Amino acid sequence: MTAPHRYRPSWTVEEFILACANGPVEEERVLFLIGPKSEGKTLGFVYAVAHLAERVRRENPRALPVRVAVVRDTWTNLSKTTLETLREEQQAGLRLEITDGGHQAELPGLAQFWFFGLDRPADADRLQGFQCGVFVIEEAAPVAGLETGVPPEAFSMGVAALRQPGVPLRVLLPMNPSDEDHWPLWHGTPVLTPTGWVKIGDLRQGDLVMAADGTTTTVTGVYPRGVCPLFRIRFSDGVSVLATEDHPWGIETKWDRSGKAKPRTSVRVVTTGQICARLSADRRQFRWTVPLVEPIQFPSRPVPLDSYVVGALLGDGGLTTDQVKFCSADAEVLDQVRAGLPPSVYLRHLRAYDYVLLSKGGRATPNPVTRAIKALGLRGHSALTKFIPEVFLWNDAACRLAVLQGLLDTDGHATSDGNSVSFASISERLIEGVEFLVRSLGGITRRRAVGRVGPRRPHELHVLGITLPDAVRPFRLSRKNARLRPKHRRHQARRYLVGCEPYGDGEAVCIAVAHSSRLFVVEHFIVTHNTLSLRDRLKQAGLERFRVAE
């Protein structure tokens, strides 16, 4: 087929045309043509069909013309873009005959095109009973918008229509990059990585981030979106995050959690806009939850002192002087602390429940516990200013759990119903550290202030309600563990979606990750969905049997 004099396909379009025509006759292919506006993608799919038809005609001179269904979200968009482009190229020399008021076109002897605007019921009905060898969706990416653009059902109808004998079956998807499924978060949103929080706007392709199952995954794409309207998504544990209206979220419904629903291989995906609409319609329907992380697998790091001992000292230890002290009435806790001390250190009883951690070699021998407390920056800190050192937060799950158990064995208690745990402190930094530990282990926390404590200089007391998965034991102390019981379904740790409000405009960025779940972790250990892969939508629509080529 001779191209019009003014059509010079880019190498991307040329590769797309050749990929359509090549390959075994029995091989079914999905081909993407992603490029900027005015690159010639519309004419590109016409030439791709022409080359395919010429191949069919060479192999079978008596073959009928290749039938092509061209679909767009609305007839208006189809008329103003696809058909207008084809009419212009027709005038420039393209041997294409457009008939039936733009509903059909023909490359004489090679291919016949039928055009469908899916906002028109008549076109949707015609597509359902159609038969073709090539199915084209122009600007297909909005299909992942769930309620906008080409509906997902269009893929299924197109696949059902692909049954023309003797033609290598093809699905062609020309689209602009800006129309891909890049649905962003605010560019300053912290994303969890193996070594710390990194703003999503600072991530680069190839960086490692944490997936919802606690493992690392690779960033496969970073897509700045410029200034967009943002919404604040609020959750039942008091945390929130900023996202655009079309950002996708993996959720579970009450029916999914009931155990009666058919098991799902992946979470449901909804957009911020859908969440806002649901919560606005009925504020009682706080029934959608986002997944919680499984224990995050940070790399192991060496620590200067046993993790449980550090937790216990932060709970009931005295760190304000050169002598580290500890207070406990539980023999079991004392045994756990003794087991974690360096061999050269022992607990010396002072009075009642008070102990001091001394070196066995006397004052002349350096005390490794005192050295470790100083190296960790805890020396001199009182109950008001205690904190969990970074090396214990950004460490493996066993280390983090041991710190938490030391804290809860000393300063925590199980609630009367046995479903959750409570922890209290006047140190806001310590409370934030405990929140980090719990959330990183797959639990949730709810913080509340219960007034001020202290006779001379009262300070605000923060109380944390803690819910952890049954597999994560918050205590080592047997009498506290005995109060816990397996949680009924309604008492499991869950993070409900409870609010969605407009926030204002802001820079937005989205990322794609390699993990099969497409879920990654942002601030407060919130699990969110990456920019949706169009391939995911194709698989959902029944195109998994097709080989994807670009």
Side-chain angles (χ1 to χ4, degrees):
M1 178 182 177
T2 303
H5 69 281
R6 71 178 188 176
Y7 182 58
R8 297 292 182 269
S10 66
W11 70 268
T12 304
V13 177
E14 189 172 354
E15 289 294 320
F16 174 80
I17 293 171
L18 294 175
C20 181
N22 295 335
V25 173
E26 67 277 5
E27 183 177 80
E28 302 167 330
R29 286 186 170 187
V30 176
L31 293 113
F32 296 86
L33 177 53
I34 302 172
K37 293 181 179 180
S38 304
E39 189 185 27
K41 296 187 293 298
T42 297
L43 203 54
F45 83 70
V46 173
Y47 275 86
V49 169
H51 278 68
L52 180 68
E54 287 175 343
R55 171 190 170 179
V56 171
R57 183 58 58 89
R58 285 195 304 271
E59 295 174 354
N60 180 12
R62 302 180 63 181
L64 297 173
V66 173
R67 291 167 60 89
V68 184
V70 182
V71 170
R72 184 90 193 234
D73 53 351
T74 69
W75 181 259
T76 299
N77 288 338
L78 189 64
S79 300
K80 289 184 177 180
T81 55
T82 307
L83 290 173
E84 185 174 324
T85 299
L86 293 179
R87 288 190 178 98
E88 290 175 358
E89 298 300 335
Q90 184 184 37
Q91 295 174 4
L94 178 65
R95 292 185 293 112
L96 181 73
E97 300 174 4
I98 300 175
T99 61
D100 194 17
H103 289 87
Q104 295 183 36
E106 183 173 2
L107 289 171
L110 290 176
Q112 298 170 334
F113 297 80
W114 279 262
F115 300 96
F116 301 86
L118 292 186
D119 61 329
R120 304 199 308 185
D123 280 11
D125 290 343
R126 282 196 306 134
L127 182 61
Q128 287 190 25
F130 201 70
Q131 183 184 78
C132 62
V134 178
F135 180 55
V136 181
I137 299 183
E138 281 236 89
E139 303 301 344
V143 70
L146 300 174
E147 295 185 344
T148 61
V150 177
E153 293 78 12
F155 282 108
S156 300
M157 289 190 290
V159 172
L162 286 169
R163 56 181 189 272
Q164 185 177 359
V167 176
L169 304 182
R170 299 288 186 262
V171 178
L172 307 184
L173 300 159
M175 66 185 77
N176 296 322
S178 60
D179 288 337
E180 291 179 279
D181 304 325
H182 302 328
W183 298 349
L185 298 163
W186 174 55
H187 76 112
T189 301
V191 176
L192 189 64
T193 76
T195 56
W197 298 105
V198 176
K199 292 180 181 179
I200 193 171
D202 294 335
L203 290 173
R204 297 293 179 266
Q205 187 172 343
D207 287 350
L208 293 178
V209 299
M210 303 308 299
D213 65 356
T215 63
T216 57
T217 185
T218 304
V219 176
T220 58
V222 180
Y223 310 98
R225 279 280 299 270
V227 177
C228 300
L230 299 174
F231 292 77
R232 182 173 293 282
I233 308 298
R234 294 186 293 104
F235 299 89
S236 54
D237 56 343
V239 301
S240 65
V241 68
L242 296 177
T244 58
E245 185 176 10
D246 49 7
H247 180 73
W249 295 89
I251 63 112
E252 286 186 329
T253 66
K254 184 178 180 181
W255 179 249
D256 294 330
R257 298 188 301 270
S258 69
K260 301 175 183 177
K262 182 179 178 181
R264 299 176 62 86
T265 58
S266 61
V267 295
R268 300 176 188 267
V269 180
V270 299
T271 65
T272 300
Q274 289 175 292
I275 293 169
C276 291
R278 182 176 181 86
L279 294 178
S280 297
D282 187 350
R283 294 192 63 82
R284 294 172 300 174
Q285 297 190 39
F286 297 156
R287 298 178 182 176
W288 286 356
T289 59
V290 295
L292 295 173
V293 299
E294 295 180 33
I296 299 296
Q297 300 173 27
F298 294 133
S300 297
R301 300 168 63 184
V303 294
L305 189 60
D306 178 79
S307 303
Y308 181 89
V309 171
V310 169
L313 292 176
L314 289 172
D316 275 342
L319 310 176
T320 56
T321 67
D322 286 336
Q323 284 192 329
V324 177
K325 298 177 180 178
F326 184 63
C327 178
S328 179
D330 280 292
E332 198 173 348
V333 171
L334 293 171
D335 289 342
Q336 289 285 343
V337 170
R338 287 191 184 98
L341 290 177
S344 61
V345 176
Y346 72 103
L347 277 176
R348 178 184 173 186
H349 183 248
L350 293 177
R351 58 188 172 275
Y353 307 123
D354 295 334
Y355 297 81
V356 62
L357 283 67
L358 296 179
S359 173
K360 293 179 180 178
R363 293 179 181 272
T365 306
N367 187 327
V369 172
T370 303
R371 281 186 169 184
I373 292 300
K374 186 175 181 179
L376 292 169
L378 293 171
R379 165 71 172 81
H381 283 273
S382 66
L384 180 62
T385 60
K386 285 180 179 178
F387 64 93
I388 301 174
E390 294 278 306
V391 69
F392 293 95
L393 296 176
W394 300 95
N395 214 317
D396 58 66
C399 174
R400 301 195 311 275
L401 178 58
V403 175
L404 182 63
Q405 289 172 333
L407 279 159
L408 296 180
D409 276 356
T410 54
D411 263 1
H413 71 273
T415 57
S416 58
D417 61 7
N419 290 313
S420 60
V421 175
S422 180
F423 176 81
S425 175
I426 60 173
S427 170
E428 190 164 5
R429 284 187 70 186
L430 184 56
I431 287 290
E432 290 171 353
V434 174
E435 287 176 327
F436 184 101
L437 294 176
V438 172
R439 292 167 181 166
S440 72
L441 293 169
I444 58 168
T445 64
R446 292 181 178 85
R447 191 198 305 193
R448 59 192 175 93
V450 295
R452 293 181 173 272
V453 296
R456 290 181 296 177
R457 299 168 60 186
H459 302 286
E460 192 168 56
L461 179 65
H462 304 277
V463 177
L464 279 186
I466 297 170
T467 306
L468 286 160
D470 285 337
V472 179
R473 304 302 290 178
F475 304 111
R476 290 187 185 179
L477 190 56
S478 56
R479 67 176 177 84
K480 292 186 177 181
N481 265 327
R483 298 191 65 179
L484 298 176
R485 62 184 185 186
K487 299 179 186 67
H488 185 272
R489 187 177 66 246
R490 67 174 178 270
H491 296 303
Q492 296 290 334
R494 303 196 192 284
R495 183 171 262 162
Y496 290 85
L497 289 152
V498 299
C500 178
E501 299 90 21
Y503 177 81
D505 293 344
E507 292 282 339
V509 176
C510 51
I511 64 171
V513 298
H515 198 277
S516 59
S517 71
R518 303 294 185 257
L519 301 174
F520 65 103
V521 185
V522 297
E523 59 184 320
H524 311 300
F525 292 86
I526 296 169
V527 173
T528 189
H529 207 289
N530 80 169
T531 180
L532 278 180
S533 165
L534 187 58
R535 290 169 180 76
D536 295 337
R537 281 295 167 196
L538 296 175
K539 186 173 181 179
Q540 291 177 12
L543 289 172
E544 61 269 19
R545 77 172 192 265
F546 286 70
R547 189 174 80 84
V548 176
E550 294 185 85

